[in-house]
């Protein structure tokens, strides 16, 4: 079967299409014929080599979520899974493939009305957005800023904050056109990437998908007892001394936290994803698919991600 590996860390051209043996489900696993693969910001960061210190090596197959149909099951798995449309979290990688085996506990059935591409545009992103807001102790009536809101996690965070009763949902983004699209999804204020623009004077919660050298400046935008939660590093790591900003504002009792969905029990992640898929099938959450590209165009998908062209999620199709 075809797959895409990171042959060389660095530019998107380091990705290569390869042939791998077709997998066979082991005990407790299902085999999925993949129909849609989500291309996430974490894939581009891994491909760049920036996370080499976390154990990623060249030869790694990226992609952490797929949707498709269960073709067969391994020992100990209810055979009724066969033929069901599902979404699956593949872990840190392994999703850029035509077929994959996944432990059944990582698989979520899809409602009949939800297309596979919409499922991977919502899946991990919606779940991360849900738990990131919970990690920030977001409550109705609070003002929220989503930094880097045009990606799939940002888009879902905007919708969930608005639905959760935020008094304001401000976003940072790169253009007025993107800002208008985010307003359609629930944003109330649109700021530029630096945070300049007509927004609230301060925020109770900031969900930061960007990080990078400018992240510490956003502590200045927090209200007393405000919380900034970072869920991504698409612009790189923050400065090593970023915590000095928090100490300089000691009397405001500000908080910083990093959030990874790896800290959430599998059963809780599945429950949230299943509920969000049902909500999306009813029209209560909007998946935003930027573009569908064939698997062999993974290099182009990563170029578009690196160039900041993507609004929502690029989806690869085997």
């Amino acid at each position: 079967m075809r797959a895409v590996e990171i042959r060389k860390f660095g530019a998107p051209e380091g990705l290569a299409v390869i042939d791998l043996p077709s997998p066979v489900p082991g005990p407790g696993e299902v085999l999925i014929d993949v129909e849609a693969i989500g291309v996430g910001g974490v894939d581009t960061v891994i491909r760049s080599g920036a996370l080499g210190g976390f154990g990623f090596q060249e030869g790694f197959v990226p992609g952490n979520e797929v949707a498709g149909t269960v073709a067969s099951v391994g020992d100990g798995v209810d055979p009724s899974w066969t033929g069901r449309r599902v979404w699956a979290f593949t872990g840190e990688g392994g999703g850029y493939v035509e077929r994959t085996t996944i432990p059944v506990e990582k698989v979520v059935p899809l409602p009949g009305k939800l297309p596979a591409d919409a499922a991977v545009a919502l899946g991990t992103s919606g779940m991360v957005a849900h738990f990131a807001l919970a990690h920030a102790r977001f409550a109705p009536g609070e003002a929220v800023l989503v930094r880097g809101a045009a990606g799939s996690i940002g888009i879902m965070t905007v919708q969930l904050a608005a639905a959760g009763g935020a008094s304001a949902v401000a976003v940072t983004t790169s253009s007025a056109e993107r800002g208008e699209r985010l307003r359609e999804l629930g944003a109330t204020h649109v700021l530029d990437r630096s945070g300049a623009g007509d927004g609230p004077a301060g925020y109770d919660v900031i969900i930061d998908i960007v990080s990078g050298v400018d992240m510490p400046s956003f502590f200045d935008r927090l209200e007393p007892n405000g919380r900034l939660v970072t869920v991504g590093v698409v612009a790189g790591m923050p400065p090593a001394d970023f915590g000095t900003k928090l100490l300089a504002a000691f009397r405001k009792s500000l908080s910083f936290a990093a959030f990874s969905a790896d800290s959430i029990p599998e059963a809780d992640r599945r429950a949230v994803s299943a509920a969000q898929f049902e909500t999306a099938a009813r029209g209560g959450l909007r998946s935003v698919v930027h573009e569908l590209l064939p698997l062999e165009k993974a290099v182009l998908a990563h170029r578009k991600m690196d160039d900041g062209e993507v609004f929502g999620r690029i989806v690869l199709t085997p």
Side-chain angles (χ1 to χ4, degrees):
M1 70 168 185
R2 292 177 306 151
V4 172
E5 71 170 6
I6 302 172
R7 182 160 294 171
K8 183 176 177 58
F9 283 136
E13 287 71 22
L15 296 171
V17 178
I18 60 171
D19 286 320
L20 292 176
S22 188
V24 176
E29 293 182 333
V30 301
L31 173 67
I32 299 174
D33 283 334
V34 176
E35 300 167 18
I37 303 157
V39 178
V42 67
D43 300 344
T44 66
V45 176
I46 292 171
R47 184 219 73 227
S48 74
L51 299 183
F54 290 86
F56 295 101
Q57 299 180 356
E58 292 175 346
F60 179 78
V61 174
N64 66 12
E65 63 185 309
V66 300
T69 301
V70 175
S72 61
V73 302
D75 291 344
V77 178
D78 187 339
S80 68
W81 278 101
T82 305
R84 297 180 76 177
R85 298 177 62 253
V86 298
W87 170 89
F89 177 66
T90 62
E92 293 175 332
Y96 286 20
V97 293
E98 292 182 299
R99 289 176 294 281
T100 187
T101 53
I102 302 287
V104 70
E105 64 268 17
K106 295 181 182 291
V107 175
V108 179
L110 290 177
K113 294 182 179 180
L114 191 67
D117 61 340
V120 295
L122 165 59
T124 300
S125 299
M127 179 268 293
V128 169
H130 170 91
F131 286 112
L133 287 167
H135 201 67
R137 306 186 309 281
F138 163 67
E142 292 189 316
V144 177
L145 170 63
V146 183
R147 184 170 177 238
S152 55
I153 294 175
I155 285 169
M156 292 304 163
T157 305
V158 167
Q159 294 183 73
L160 294 176
S167 61
V169 182
V171 295
T172 69
T173 189
S174 60
S175 70
E177 182 213 0
R178 290 183 170 208
E180 286 308 308
R181 295 182 70 181
L182 288 163
R183 286 186 188 276
E184 293 172 2
L185 295 166
T188 57
H189 299 80
V190 176
L191 314 177
D192 68 16
R193 283 178 169 172
S194 72
D198 183 18
Y203 301 93
D204 302 291
V205 170
I206 297 176
I207 303 297
D208 186 356
I209 302 141
V210 180
S211 200
V213 296
D214 295 329
M215 186 269 280
S217 68
F218 283 82
F219 290 134
D220 296 335
R221 299 171 182 274
L222 288 171
E223 294 283 8
N225 299 301
R227 293 87 69 195
L228 187 152
V229 174
T230 185
V231 299
V233 291
V234 295
M237 294 292 186
D241 63 349
F242 75 86
T244 59
K245 269 279 190 179
L246 292 172
L247 293 176
F250 191 86
R251 297 178 68 184
K252 291 178 70 177
S253 299
L254 304 181
S255 299
F256 167 83
F259 173 74
S260 167
D262 290 342
S263 63
I264 304 298
E266 187 74 52
D268 294 344
R269 297 202 303 260
R270 286 182 65 200
V272 167
S273 292
Q276 289 184 340
F277 290 143
E278 293 288 349
T279 300
R282 297 192 302 268
L285 271 175
R286 290 173 57 187
S287 291
V288 179
V289 176
H290 177 84
E291 188 174 4
L292 291 171
L293 290 172
L295 181 63
E296 58 267 22
K297 296 289 187 182
V299 169
L300 177 59
H302 277 236
R303 279 197 204 116
K304 289 174 179 281
M305 292 285 288
D306 284 0
D307 291 343
E309 296 181 20
V310 180
F311 185 89
R313 175 147 288 194
I314 289 180
V315 176
L316 298 175
T317 57

